[in-house]
């Protein structure tokens, strides 16, 4: 599963950079590995894999390494679908319960609980659908859900669930556009 997820992440990055005819391969993965937009994903995926396979110490070590090198804190408990993309990682905290397919998260984003939650209660954490974009500096907090194709504006503070195909912005965030 780890290899398939990394290949999907790599293919999304290739497509975003205009290389739509290229497919992921082990050679392309190794060549892309040191890139600052790909290595954080590799560390995140490896951390989650270690966690799932009963190696919590390794999972947390890889997570800390990601935080130290790239400034992105991603819980190994967060399930992340294929095609995740972090254009910039600095100051980002991913403490959601789940991220869907082809999610884009910009820098300075926080996805997490609204209260101290040392036990990582999934009911207190956001769930993000497929094809969601979370703008720079946005905060998505609490046990809420974001539907598929949601756009969260930069610096928005989102405390309520959002239906599919909506765009939200502001503090507090509210729907500014819906394409249903």
């Amino acid at each position: 599963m780890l290899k398939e997820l990394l290949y999907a992440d790599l293919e999304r990055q290739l497509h975003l950079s205009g290389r739509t005819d290229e497919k992921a391969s082990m050679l392309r993965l190794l060549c892309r590995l040191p890139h600052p937009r790909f290595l954080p994903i590799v560390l995140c995926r490896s951390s989650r894999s270690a966690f799932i396979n009963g190696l919590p110490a390794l999972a947390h070590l890889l997570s800390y390494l990601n935080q130290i090198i790239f400034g992105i804190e991603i819980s190994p408990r967060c399930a992340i679908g294929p095609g995740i993309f972090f254009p910039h990682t600095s100051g980002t905290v991913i403490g959601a319960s789940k991220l869907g397919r082809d999610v884009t998260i910009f820098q300075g984003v926080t996805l997490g609980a609204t209260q101290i939650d040392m036990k990582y209660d999934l009911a207190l954490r956001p769930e993000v659908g497929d094809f969601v974009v979370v703008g720079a500096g946005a905060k998505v907090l609490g046990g809420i859900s974001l539907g598929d194709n949601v756009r969260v504006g930069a610096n928005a503070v989102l405390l309520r669930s959002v239906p599919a195909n909506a765009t939200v912005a502001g503090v507090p965030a509210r729907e500014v556009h819906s394409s249903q």
Side-chain angles (χ1 to χ4, degrees), residues 146 150-154 156 158 161-163 166-170 173-177:
L146 278 63
V150 165
R151 302 292 180 260
V152 179
L158 184 57
S161 293
V162 178
T167 299
V168 295
R174 57 191 164 281
E175 195 170 315
V176 295
H177 183 265

Side-chain angles (χ1 to χ4, degrees), residues 11 14-15 17-24 28:
E11 284 191 6
L14 290 169
H15 290 157
S17 63
R19 297 159 60 183
T20 56
D21 57 329
E22 295 183 35
K23 296 288 181 198
R28 282 199 177 96

